[in-house]
């Protein structure tokens, strides 16, 4: 982000920067009134349709593949898909968090932890790949060779811990079936719309779940 900001300062005039700033500020004030053609949010009402359910379903499907084949057999591409869907779901829930801040913040935090954990694992995977691509030199000592092997083992252990942590987060996030997840959020919305805007929605049996409980 800092690099992008620096590049913007170098490439844009002061007037252009001010125009962009004003445009972004204007967009921020209009977000609560957005109307999505796909039906995620409407002014005064909410339809939790294809977008939100699709994101949750895809994330859950990829997570369940890991559970089926085993964490040790999951490819980096599969973990990447889980991370991608977790980030997307987190963005969507941020648009809805006013309906019940404490509950949705818990979901968002869990999604961020899942995404961050898999992001760190991805970084370690790239480091591991670079090390494996480095050729051994005839001048390398036995100590140097053993040091490289020890580093690779340490990275592998760290990646296993990150994956286990992320898998546990995914278990909490995707505990519900997609239709049930969307229905529960719809109930939260209805309660907020009908008078719960100044506090948490009234609890209904079976509708209280959020990660960490």
């Amino acid at each position: 982000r800092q690099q992008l900001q620096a590049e913007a300062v170098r490439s844009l005039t002061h007037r252009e920067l001010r125009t962009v700033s004003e445009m972004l500020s204007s967009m921020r004030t209009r977000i609560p009134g957005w109307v999505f053609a796909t039906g995620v949010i409407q002014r005064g009402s909410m339809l939790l349709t294809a977008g939100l359910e699709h994101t949750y379903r895809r994330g859950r499907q990829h997570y369940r593949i890991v559970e089926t084949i085993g964490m040790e057999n999951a490819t980096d591409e599969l973990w990447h898909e889980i991370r991608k869907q977790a980030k997307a779901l987190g963005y969507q829930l941020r648009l809805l968090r006013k309906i019940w801040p404490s509950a949705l913040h818990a979901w968002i935090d869990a999604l961020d932890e899942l995404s961050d954990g898999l992001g760190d694992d991805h970084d370690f995977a790239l480091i591991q790949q670079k090390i494996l691509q480095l050729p051994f030199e005839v001048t390398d000592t036995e100590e140097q060779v053993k040091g490289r092997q020890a580093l690779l083992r340490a990275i592998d252990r760290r990646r296993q811990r990150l994956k286990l942590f992320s898998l546990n987060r995914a278990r909490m996030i995707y505990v519900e079936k997609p239709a049930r997840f969307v229905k529960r959020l719809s109930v939260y919305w209805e309660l907020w719309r009908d008078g719960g805007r100044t506090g948490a929605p009234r609890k209904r049996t079976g509708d209280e779940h959020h990660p960490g409980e």
Side-chain angles (χ1 to χ4, degrees), residues 79-136:
W79 289 112
H80 176 68
E81 282 299 320
I82 294 174
R83 179 174 185 257
K84 186 167 67 175
Q85 297 304 322
K87 288 179 74 69
L89 184 60
Y91 294 144
Q92 289 172 321
L93 292 182
R94 279 176 169 85
L95 291 174
L96 308 177
R97 58 189 170 189
K98 284 187 177 181
I99 65 177
W100 192 354
S102 60
L104 290 183
H105 275 307
W107 279 99
I108 292 167
D109 287 346
L111 286 161
D112 285 346
E113 289 171 353
L114 170 59
S115 177
D116 290 346
L118 292 180
D120 289 345
D121 172 67
H122 177 69
D123 291 343
F124 278 116
L126 294 178
I127 295 172
Q128 198 172 40
Q129 185 179 27
K130 290 294 185 182
I131 295 174
L132 289 171
Q133 290 173 346
L134 290 174
F136 284 100

Side-chain angles (χ1 to χ4, degrees), residues 69-84:
I69 67 177
M71 187 179 73
E72 65 281 359
N73 297 318
T75 63
D76 290 340
E77 290 75 17
L78 181 56
W79 289 112
H80 176 68
E81 282 299 320
I82 294 174
R83 179 174 185 257
K84 186 167 67 175

Side-chain angles (χ1 to χ4, degrees), residues 1-210:
R1 184 171 61 185
Q2 292 177 342
Q3 182 179 356
L4 289 174
Q5 290 174 338
E7 291 178 358
V9 170
R10 289 195 299 268
S11 61
L12 298 177
T13 65
H14 178 72
R15 177 178 293 180
E16 289 171 334
L17 284 171
R18 186 173 60 186
T19 300
V20 170
S21 177
E22 291 173 352
M23 180 182 66
L24 292 175
S25 297
S26 176
M27 288 176 61
R28 184 176 182 181
T29 60
R30 294 200 306 269
I31 285 177
W34 276 1
V35 176
F36 289 77
T38 54
V40 178
I41 298 177
Q42 288 185 328
R43 187 188 301 274
S45 64
M46 181 177 71
L47 301 175
L48 293 169
T49 57
L52 186 59
E53 185 171 352
H54 176 75
T55 303
Y56 184 88
R57 186 184 301 277
R58 281 185 60 82
R60 191 172 189 267
Q61 287 173 340
H62 287 104
Y63 145 70
R64 288 176 67 84
I65 291 174
V66 175
E67 291 279 36
T68 300
I69 67 177
M71 187 179 73
E72 65 281 359
N73 297 318
T75 63
D76 290 340
E77 290 75 17
L78 181 56
W79 289 112
H80 176 68
E81 282 299 320
I82 294 174
R83 179 174 185 257
K84 186 167 67 175
Q85 297 304 322
K87 288 179 74 69
L89 184 60
Y91 294 144
Q92 289 172 321
L93 292 182
R94 279 176 169 85
L95 291 174
L96 308 177
R97 58 189 170 189
K98 284 187 177 181
I99 65 177
W100 192 354
S102 60
L104 290 183
H105 275 307
W107 279 99
I108 292 167
D109 287 346
L111 286 161
D112 285 346
E113 289 171 353
L114 170 59
S115 177
D116 290 346
L118 292 180
D120 289 345
D121 172 67
H122 177 69
D123 291 343
F124 278 116
L126 294 178
I127 295 172
Q128 198 172 40
Q129 185 179 27
K130 290 294 185 182
I131 295 174
L132 289 171
Q133 290 173 346
L134 290 174
F136 284 100
E137 303 292 342
V138 294
T139 56
D140 287 346
T141 64
E142 182 179 357
E143 183 178 353
Q144 289 173 321
V145 173
K146 288 183 177 179
R148 183 187 296 195
Q149 293 172 341
L151 176 58
L152 287 170
R153 288 194 297 270
I155 292 175
D156 190 61
R157 288 193 297 270
R158 178 58 177 162
R159 292 191 65 195
Q160 292 302 310
R161 288 195 296 269
L162 287 167
K163 288 176 180 177
L164 181 59
F165 171 82
S166 299
L167 185 59
N168 286 331
R169 280 290 175 269
R171 285 172 179 150
M172 291 191 296
I173 292 165
Y174 297 114
V175 68
E176 295 178 294
K177 292 183 178 180
R180 176 62 178 167
F181 172 74
V182 170
K183 180 180 178 181
R184 189 162 51 79
L185 286 178
S186 297
V187 171
Y188 293 168
W189 169 266
E190 291 168 3
L191 293 172
W192 177 79
R193 180 195 60 192
D194 295 339
R197 302 189 186 195
T198 58
R202 299 182 303 276
K203 290 185 179 179
R204 295 185 181 183
T205 303
D207 289 328
E208 310 87 343
H209 170 78
H210 54 81

